[in-house]
Amino acid sequence: MPAGELRYTESSSEVEGEAWVWAQIKAEARRDAEAEPALASYLYSTILSHSSLKRSLSFHLGNKLCSSTLLSTLLYDLFLNTFSSDPSLLAAAVADLRAARERDPACVSFSHCLLNYKGFLACQAHRVAHKLWIESRRPLALALHSRIADVFAVDIHPAARIGKGVLFDHATGVVVGETAVIGNNVSILHHVTLGGTGKAGGDRHPKIGDGVLIGASATILGNVKIGEGAKIGAGSVVLIDVPPRTTAVGNPARLVGGRERPSKLEDVPGESMDHTSFISEWSDYII
């Protein structure tokens, strides 16, 4: 992962992918409006009345995050202008939509994710807050961060850097600290904390490599590195680096197979979503 700001290059295939996903979303919305007339007005206002995914997403985020003093029209303009000025943000959103659809069997459609997945929505709003942060518009970034935490129960500091193809599954209670970095194709379950170790300042939060899977209620503290393709078991507490393609489980976390010769994963956990295959090798697991 780059040391500076995460950037996502936009290729012609990504542009075509965005168009295909948007076409799918509109087709799904039309189908659902016909099947459930009670939702027809909602689906028209959030999806079918818009000419593009960035307009639909901006409208939906604006309505979700608005308050009596932070108006939906202001937020719509903010989101739309940011997505328009940096197309890589929308490419990342499309990758996140695909990630949810491919990895979560409960995700019945792209439109379901766009409308209802608070982890997806929190992540897209965070991308805009992060853009504001690096542009030194920090009061607005922090105000948006506060609204994201209030509405979605997801607390991601606007300085944190997040790759694309990321799935925040369920997402409730996720906390990501200021200097944390999350790579591409990562999957994170609910109540995960990527935190610091105390009052120390500076670079103090975890760095999560590409393809990592972090199970529910796992806690990773300090400026530690979770290697590419690693797996962190549910409920684990991680305080030191985890090598690539290994599994860390427990409190405190230990490597499956031992520190000297840890078992190596063949798949990419962040994409396979395999949470429990390590059990047969975990000798301390007793009922």
Side-chain angles (χ1 to χ4, degrees), residues 12 14 16 65 84 114 123 126 140 166 182 193 197 246 255 258:
S12 60
E14 286 177 325
E16 293 169 359
L65 295 171
S84 298
L114 172 65
C123 187
H126 163 76
L140 184 54
V166 173
I182 299 172
T193 297
T197 57
T246 62
L255 295 178

Side-chain angles (χ1 to χ4, degrees), residues 51-219:
S51 60
S52 64
L53 176 58
K54 66 183 177 183
R55 288 182 178 274
S56 173
L57 180 57
S58 297
F59 178 86
H60 192 41
L61 287 174
N63 279 280
K64 283 283 191 180
L65 295 171
C66 67
S67 69
S68 59
T69 54
L70 198 59
L71 301 182
S72 62
T73 50
L74 183 152
L75 289 176
Y76 171 76
D77 289 340
L78 173 65
F79 288 124
L80 183 59
N81 289 338
T82 306
F83 287 132
S84 298
S85 67
D86 189 349
S88 69
L89 300 183
L90 194 62
V94 171
D96 294 349
L97 282 167
R98 288 183 176 274
R101 188 73 178 95
E102 293 169 2
R103 298 177 207 163
D104 184 3
C107 186
V108 297
S109 65
F110 289 110
S111 61
H112 173 47
C113 179
L114 172 65
L115 295 175
N116 303 320
Y117 268 42
K118 67 178 183 177
F120 168 79
L121 294 170
C123 187
Q124 308 325 308
H126 163 76
R127 296 188 195 284
V128 173
H130 179 68
K131 185 74 173 178
L132 295 170
W133 184 268
I134 62 176
E135 291 176 346
S136 296
R137 300 176 67 185
R138 296 189 174 183
L140 184 54
L142 291 168
L144 186 55
H145 160 248
S146 178
R147 288 301 297 156
I148 295 166
D150 288 347
V151 173
F152 299 125
V154 176
D155 188 345
I156 306 174
H157 192 283
R161 293 183 280 135
I162 300 178
K164 64 180 181 178
V166 173
L167 172 62
F168 288 102
D169 196 0
H170 301 291
T172 300
V174 166
V175 177
V176 180
E178 179 181 5
T179 60
V181 179
I182 299 172
N184 299 320
N185 303 315
V186 171
S187 292
I188 296 176
L189 276 288
H190 47 289
H191 292 292
V192 163
T193 297
L194 306 181
T197 57
K199 294 173 65 177
D203 191 359
R204 61 197 184 279
H205 295 104
K207 309 298 181 284
I208 310 301
D210 295 345
V212 168
L213 172 63
I214 306 178
S217 297
T219 298

Side-chain angles (χ1 to χ4, degrees), residues 208-236:
I208 310 301
D210 295 345
V212 168
L213 172 63
I214 306 178
S217 297
T219 298
I220 306 173
L221 300 178
N223 186 14
V224 300
K225 183 176 181 180
I226 308 302
E228 178 178 335
K231 182 190 302 185
I232 309 300
S236 299

